[in-house]
Amino acid sequence: MDLRVQDKEVVVPGQVVATGMEYLPADGAYRLDDEIRANRLGLIKIEGKVIKSIPLTGVYLPQKNDVVVGRVIDILMSGWRLDINSPYSAVLPIKDATFDFIAKGADLTKYFDLDDYVVAKIIQVTSQNLVDVTCKGQGLHKLDGGRILKVGPHKVPRIIGTKGSMITMVKKATNCRVIVGQNGRIWLSGEPDKEHVAVKAIKMIEDLAHTVGLTEQVKSFLAEQTGLSADALTVKEEDLVAERPKDEQRHRRPPRRSGGTRDGPRRRPYGERRQRR
Amino acid sequence: MAYEKRISGRALDEPRKITANAGVIKKADGSGYFKIGETAAYAAVYGPRECHPAFMRNPKMGILRCNYSMMPFSGDGERVRPGPSRRSKEISMVTKNALLPVVDLKEYPNTVVDVFIELPETDAGSRCAGICAAAIALADAGITMRDVVPAVSVGQVDGTIVVDLDGAEEHLDENAAADIPLAMVPSTEEITLLQMDGIVEQDTLFRALETVKPALHNIAEAQRRAVKECYQQQAGGDAQ
């Protein structure tokens, strides 16, 4: 009739988490007669009557609206295939790749070449885990320079922190540009020695992701490494990028550039008139 | 003459000394080490990952692929030829069948989970040690599984039921020893591996299955502890 574990405790498959019918099993837990047991390695989370476990390890499973860092592994007839650090690869179709016009039969490597890294957003996942991504949207683009880090995909939420607090602190301390993909790939670019500190900080967050009081630990680490005061590193509300409302997140066309095509000048879109001088 | 005092001096229902660890192979997605007496097994899990060759893919769920292998120097001095053999293929298959009832790969269609088991030293009970190590590795890899799978052998030596036969007991007398490797899902007590080498009466078999249960539950606890300790160590005692 009671709980056998505490909140945020590490549980392993088959471990009895609670007995009796008072609690309900959710993700990562199941009921066997009058016991609730864990069915994967994770941190237990108790929300009222619901018991679930949050995975600590495992591969990345693509999810709609995730922003991922992908690597171009193949060029297809009508797009690119990206490795997204998952058992499943993603397809970036031409129509979702860029706002530029791409002529029929154009050389696709001019836009994304093999081994290029791309920040992309997942727009569709089927039941068989076929994935479509887009590069149209804010912050979605090809990555130039910098370096790629790999972390456990399930540690990404901790690296980002609540409303991005953790990663904002790392950015503040090191002046690096950092992009964290939900798939556990992180791109970062900055001064070499600062980059090094950022890498160490991110590795530290990854290793200690399941512990409490992590923010303070990382803060003191960054303060020691960069010589900044702990106060300077404290992330304030205004530092955080406010989450945009859902409808604003939709693709917005940037101002038109004169995009040429292989076969001549850009054709005017339907309905647009030539300006009279 | 009944076999009352075991060669190793153990009690009749006492398994050999057990050591279990997780996370021993850093590059693998999950890994486990299981040592029972003089038999040791390493297991590394990779995946779920894209399945090759493609004809093995199952669009309904991910597949499990096990590979059991004894190292060349692992036996009793006779060099074990590396690579697949009639024996290792069979053991790979029974290992897969022993683990499959607990793992759930429905969320990963068209993928494969590879389990590689290597045995650096063997002294009877190697398939059981391999299954134990593999279960630790699968749990460490974060695969959804309803329970761990402990495995140990039980048998009859000179008419006496003994748990976890070692090499000396197995080879005591060609006809006197029967050896039954066994794997069980501890929460439901379903048996997922049951093989037999030798001859045993039916009622002896049933008694043997009852005798071995406490040992299997103890091994399951050791496996769970191994996976858990891996995380508590990392936290440096800071984890709750």
Side-chain angles (χ1 to χ4, degrees):
Chain A
M1 289 296 280
D2 52 1
L3 279 175
R4 295 284 185 83
V5 293
Q6 290 171 333
D7 202 19
K8 289 184 180 167
E9 194 177 307
V10 178
V11 290
V12 290
Q15 186 182 344
V16 179
V17 178
T19 54
M21 303 305 254
E22 260 172 57
Y23 290 93
L24 289 168
D27 275 1
Y30 69 102
R31 175 173 290 287
L32 183 75
D33 302 327
D34 61 347
E35 290 168 332
I36 292 176
R37 289 171 185 260
N39 67 3
R40 66 178 172 214
L41 174 64
L43 277 184
I44 220 70
K45 198 165 184 197
I46 302 160
E47 290 171 346
K49 287 196 174 305
V50 177
I51 297 180
K52 59 181 176 181
S53 94
I54 296 150
L56 285 167
T57 54
V59 295
Y60 171 68
L61 259 193
Q63 228 112 58
K64 198 178 167 182
N65 289 332
D66 276 0
V67 172
V68 296
V69 175
R71 198 182 101 242
V72 179
I73 50 168
D74 201 3
I75 295 163
L76 315 172
M77 199 68 138
S78 55
W80 295 262
R81 187 169 291 283
L82 306 182
D83 166 43
I84 50 168
N85 191 29
S86 157
Y88 306 96
S89 57
V91 171
L92 174 61
I94 286 184
K95 72 174 171 69
D96 290 319
T98 154
F99 288 108
D100 294 354
F101 176 76
I102 301 178
K104 209 174 182 181
D107 179 10
L108 294 186
T109 60
K110 284 185 180 154
Y111 298 88
F112 301 111
D113 203 353
L114 290 172
D115 286 334
D116 277 350
Y117 280 92
V118 181
V119 188
K121 186 167 155 184
I122 295 175
I123 39 176
Q124 190 179 216
V125 184
T126 70
S127 66
Q128 295 305 100
N129 286 329
L130 302 175
V131 185
D132 269 350
V133 293
T134 177
C135 262
K136 282 179 173 177
Q138 203 191 25
L140 308 179
H141 54 87
K142 187 160 105 176
L143 292 168
D144 280 319
R147 64 164 95 187
I148 297 280
L149 269 183
K150 259 175 102 174
V151 297
H154 294 290
K155 299 185 170 157
V156 167
R158 209 67 211 267
I159 288 166
I160 294 174
T162 341
K163 286 190 191 165
S165 58
M166 191 74 89
I167 200 68
T168 310
M169 187 163 75
V170 176
K171 283 181 188 169
K172 240 181 143 178
T174 60
N175 250 333
C176 286
R177 290 155 68 210
V178 187
I179 295 170
V180 185
Q182 289 292 331
N183 57 342
R185 278 216 191 105
I186 299 173
W187 175 85
L188 58 95
S189 164
E191 287 168 35
D193 52 334
K194 296 279 182 62
E195 239 179 45
H196 186 61
V197 174
V199 170
K200 281 211 272 188
I202 289 168
K203 284 285 169 212
M204 179 177 169
I205 303 168
E206 189 196 5
D207 287 344
L208 302 175
H210 57 290
T211 60
V212 272
L214 186 54
T215 316
E216 287 308 309
Q217 248 176 299
V218 175
K219 192 187 282 177
S220 60
F221 170 80
L222 285 171
E224 181 197 315
Q225 292 283 323
T226 57
L228 292 166
S229 69
D231 272 351
L233 290 175
T234 309
V235 176
K236 295 179 206 85
E237 196 64 34
E238 63 261 29
D239 295 333
L240 302 176
V241 186
E243 213 162 288
R244 288 160 146 266
K246 272 280 170 322
D247 53 343
E248 266 189 66
Q249 278 180 6
R250 250 183 276 147
H251 306 161
R252 272 191 293 172
R253 245 171 194 284
R256 278 200 166 275
R257 277 166 286 166
S258 58
T261 73
R262 200 184 53 157
D263 327 292
R266 172 175 73 90
R267 270 181 291 168
R268 268 182 299 283
Y270 184 75
E272 193 181 299
R273 292 255 178 120
R274 178 176 294 199
Q275 290 285 310
R276 299 215 168 176
R277 287 167 199 254
Chain B
M1 187 199 73
Y3 182 70
E4 275 166 8
K5 190 143 167 55
R6 295 179 76 170
I7 301 168
S8 54
R10 284 181 282 151
L12 293 177
D13 60 350
E14 182 189 350
R16 290 168 282 176
K17 188 175 174 293
I18 292 164
T19 317
N21 294 313
V24 288
I25 297 159
K26 296 291 170 220
K27 272 208 80 180
D29 294 321
S31 56
Y33 172 73
F34 189 85
K35 185 171 184 183
I36 182 159
E38 303 298 299
T39 302
Y42 281 98
V45 167
Y46 291 86
R49 60 182 181 182
E50 205 174 325
C51 181
H52 291 290
F55 71 82
M56 286 175 83
R57 283 180 194 171
N58 181 352
K60 288 191 177 140
M61 60 163 91
I63 61 167
L64 188 69
R65 196 159 54 183
C66 294
N67 187 50
Y68 164 101
S69 157
M70 270 164 72
M71 287 185 177
F73 49 79
S74 63
D76 47 12
E78 196 77 16
R79 179 177 141 90
V80 180
R81 273 171 57 134
S85 64
R86 203 275 314 151
R87 178 174 175 276
S88 70
K89 281 194 142 186
E90 176 211 313
I91 298 179
S92 301
M93 185 200 74
V94 297
T95 303
K96 184 187 94 176
N97 291 347
L99 296 168
L100 212 48
V102 297
V103 299
D104 177 11
L105 296 172
K106 283 205 185 65
E107 282 198 35
Y108 303 94
N110 290 321
T111 62
V112 61
V113 174
D114 273 313
V115 183
F116 299 106
I117 301 162
E118 286 287 343
L119 294 113
E121 51 178 328
T122 59
D123 178 45
S126 67
R127 68 192 71 192
C128 295
I131 290 170
C132 292
I136 296 173
L138 284 167
D140 184 44
I143 308 262
T144 307
M145 52 200 287
R146 62 191 161 97
D147 213 335
V148 289
V149 183
V152 76
S153 70
V154 60
Q156 195 181 31
V157 179
D158 260 345
T160 311
I161 293 173
V162 290
V163 169
D164 190 21
L165 282 75
D166 53 32
E169 282 172 326
E170 224 172 56
H171 300 122
L172 195 61
D173 181 350
E174 283 294 300
N175 303 314
D179 172 36
I180 307 163
L182 196 71
M184 184 181 83
V185 183
S187 55
T188 55
E189 301 200 336
E190 291 164 84
I191 289 169
T192 62
L193 167 77
L194 180 69
Q195 292 184 300
M196 184 162 79
D197 181 14
I199 298 165
V200 184
E201 297 278 325
Q202 191 186 28
D203 63 315
T204 319
L205 176 63
F206 288 135
R207 269 194 293 129
L209 295 186
E210 280 309 312
T211 319
V212 76
K213 267 181 192 169
L216 285 166
H217 283 291
N218 287 341
I219 292 172
E221 270 318 303
Q223 288 174 307
R224 292 192 191 121
R225 218 177 306 125
V227 179
K228 213 180 263 193
E229 269 169 12
C230 183
Y231 277 85
Q232 268 141 14
Q233 265 172 23
Q234 264 184 33
D238 195 39
Q240 292 207 340

